[in-house]
């Protein structure tokens, strides 16, 4: 938790506590946007970007809640895309949320997810589970279901004994329900974010389980496409990952970002304002991405 508490440290210069990656019920998070903002405020987060998967639907509620609890909200989104055979996530920070072409592309992206969900259900029709898309959607809390949600729905309907069995028989690699998501190329989503006035940031680079060489190729292609930021600190990475990414970020002259990728409360390894079990904080040698927002975020008094 960030240690700034305005009641305890009246003369203490308030520190920034910046978290630029998290999810609400508008995608696969468990807290509503308002609940998320309240939790961020409790945890001492001063600047939060809501970055739901392929949707801006949570932003209006988040903005109202941010005003109520005194947290500075930054518009955000996490867009899925394709690079070589990998699905890659690009966070768009400080995007304009009233940009008609961008909104149309985001709608298309959401529709891609629904089309895939319907196709998965079609492919599993022989299991004779009625209303499978609806059941999977319920498992996803009302947002677009992915394969884990279909697995849960199949368990609930008694078609399989466990999620593992659902994957082994019906949803895993090479099985009928293994429908590849249809995502646009990396360069396209980077261009969309730039056109909407935002900053494209390559999300959780260590999560793709790539070799260092391949990851450097990805970062090079991302940067050539106009990508500007690298998520250097996030949950679920090691100190070695952090130093590798910090070096890569500095060497490529990218702006550094940090975010918890918070989805739900109760996970000790992932909390708002934190990453790697400590307060989010970038190595001093890196250039923070938030200095490059349309309204730059600066250290108070600094
Ligand atoms: Mn997610
Ligand atoms: Mn992601
Ligand atoms: Mn995420």
């Amino acid at each position: 938790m960030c240690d700034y508490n305005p009641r305890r440290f009246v003369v203490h210069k308030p520190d920034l506590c910046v978290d630029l990656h998290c999810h609400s019920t508008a995608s696969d998070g468990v807290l509503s946007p308002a609940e998320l903002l309240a939790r961020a405020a409790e945890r001492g987060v001063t600047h939060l970007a809501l970055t739901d998967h392929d949707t801006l639907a949570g932003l209006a509620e988040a903005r109202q809640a941010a005003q109520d609890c005194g947290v500075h909200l930054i518009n955000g989104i996490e867009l899925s895309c394709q690079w070589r055979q990998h699905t890659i996530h690009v966070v768009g920070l400080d995007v304009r949320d009233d940009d008609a072409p961008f909104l149309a592309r985001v709608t298309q992206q959401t529709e891609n997810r629904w089309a895939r969900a319907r196709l998965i259900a079609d492919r599993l029709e022989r299991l004779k589970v009625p209303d499978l898309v609806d059941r999977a959607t319920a498992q996803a809390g009302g947002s677009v279901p992915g394969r884990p949600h279909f697995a849960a729905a199949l368990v609930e309907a008694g078609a399989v004994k466990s999620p593992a069995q659902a994957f082994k028989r019906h949803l895993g690699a090479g099985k009928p329900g293994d429908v590849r998501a249809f995502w646009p190329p990396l360069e396209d989503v980077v261009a969309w974010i730039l056109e909407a006035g935002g900053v494209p940031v390559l999300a959780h680079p260590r999560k793709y389980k790539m070799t260092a060489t391949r990851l450097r190729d990805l970062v090079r292609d991302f940067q050539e496409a106009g990508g500007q930021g690298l998520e250097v600190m996030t949950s679920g990475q090691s100190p070695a990952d952090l130093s590798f990414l910090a070096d890569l970020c500095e060497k490529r002259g990218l702006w550094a970002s940090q975010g918890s990728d918070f989805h739900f409360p109760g996970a000790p390894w992932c909390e708002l304002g934190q990453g790697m079990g400590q307060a989010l904080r970038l190595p001093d040698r890196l250039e923070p991405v938030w200095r490059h927002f349309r309204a730059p975020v600066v250290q108070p008094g600094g």
Side-chain angles (χ1 to χ4, degrees), residues 27 110 113-114 117 137 140 142-146 149:
S27 63
T110 308
R113 282 185 170 255
W114 281 113
T137 304
S143 59
V144 193
H149 307 117

Side-chain angles (χ1 to χ4, degrees), residues 211-221 244 248 252:
T211 62
T213 305
R214 180 161 293 215
L215 185 53
R216 286 193 199 96
D217 284 354
L218 167 62
V219 168
R220 185 202 56 217
D221 287 358
F244 174 82
L248 186 57
R252 302 292 318 198

Side-chain angles (χ1 to χ4, degrees), residues 159-181:
V160 291
K161 289 202 185 77
S162 65
Q165 194 180 65
F167 270 87
K168 196 168 177 210
R169 293 188 181 170
H170 307 298
L171 292 159
K175 301 299 171 188
D178 174 25
V179 177
R180 279 202 87 90

Side-chain angles (χ1 to χ4, degrees), residues 72-296:
H72 186 95
L73 182 76
I74 293 133
N75 289 345
I77 191 166
E78 182 173 17
L79 291 168
S80 299
C81 61
Q82 200 72 31
W83 179 78
R84 298 189 184 169
Q85 74 274 41
H86 302 273
T87 299
I88 300 297
H89 289 172
V90 177
V91 165
L93 296 175
D94 196 33
V95 287
R96 286 191 304 268
D97 57 358
D98 58 353
D99 185 281
F102 187 65
L103 292 176
R105 283 158 173 158
V106 169
T107 303
Q108 182 58 53
Q109 191 86 337
T110 308
E111 187 43 46
N112 285 347
R113 282 185 170 255
W114 281 113
R116 173 176 180 246
R118 288 191 295 267
L119 189 55
I120 292 173
D122 287 351
R123 296 263 190 93
L124 300 180
E125 212 177 344
R126 65 194 173 80
L127 297 178
K128 306 249 181 285
V129 175
D131 307 316
L132 183 53
V133 172
D134 293 344
R135 287 166 184 261
T137 304
Q139 292 291 339
S143 59
V144 193
R147 284 186 295 166
H149 307 117
F150 278 96
L154 292 178
V155 174
E156 187 203 49
V160 291
K161 289 202 185 77
S162 65
Q165 194 180 65
F167 270 87
K168 196 168 177 210
R169 293 188 181 170
H170 307 298
L171 292 159
K175 301 299 171 188
D178 174 25
V179 177
R180 279 202 87 90
F182 180 74
W183 300 123
L186 174 75
E187 312 84 73
D188 289 14
V189 304
V190 168
W192 300 347
I193 293 166
L194 290 171
E195 285 165 28
V199 179
V201 172
L202 186 63
H204 43 60
R206 286 315 245 172
K207 239 185 169 177
Y208 309 119
K209 309 255 177 255
M210 293 176 184
T211 62
T213 305
R214 180 161 293 215
L215 185 53
R216 286 193 199 96
D217 284 354
L218 167 62
V219 168
R220 185 202 56 217
D221 287 358
F222 172 71
Q223 203 169 11
E224 279 174 7
Q228 296 167 316
L230 195 66
E231 203 171 72
V232 168
M233 189 171 184
T234 183
S235 302
Q237 65 181 19
S238 68
D241 292 331
L242 175 62
S243 73
F244 174 82
L245 293 173
D247 288 349
L248 186 57
C249 187
E250 187 178 29
K251 188 161 168 241
R252 302 292 318 198
L254 287 159
W255 300 330
S257 188
Q258 62 185 27
S260 59
D261 205 1
F262 178 86
H263 282 71
F264 54 88
W269 66 90
C270 187
E271 182 53 77
L272 287 167
Q274 293 189 15
M276 305 166 64
Q278 52 188 291
L280 288 165
R281 187 191 156 93
L282 295 172
D284 289 338
R285 61 192 156 113
L286 302 181
E287 175 67 12
V289 67
W290 52 86
R291 291 195 192 144
H292 300 272
F293 293 161
R294 284 170 295 162

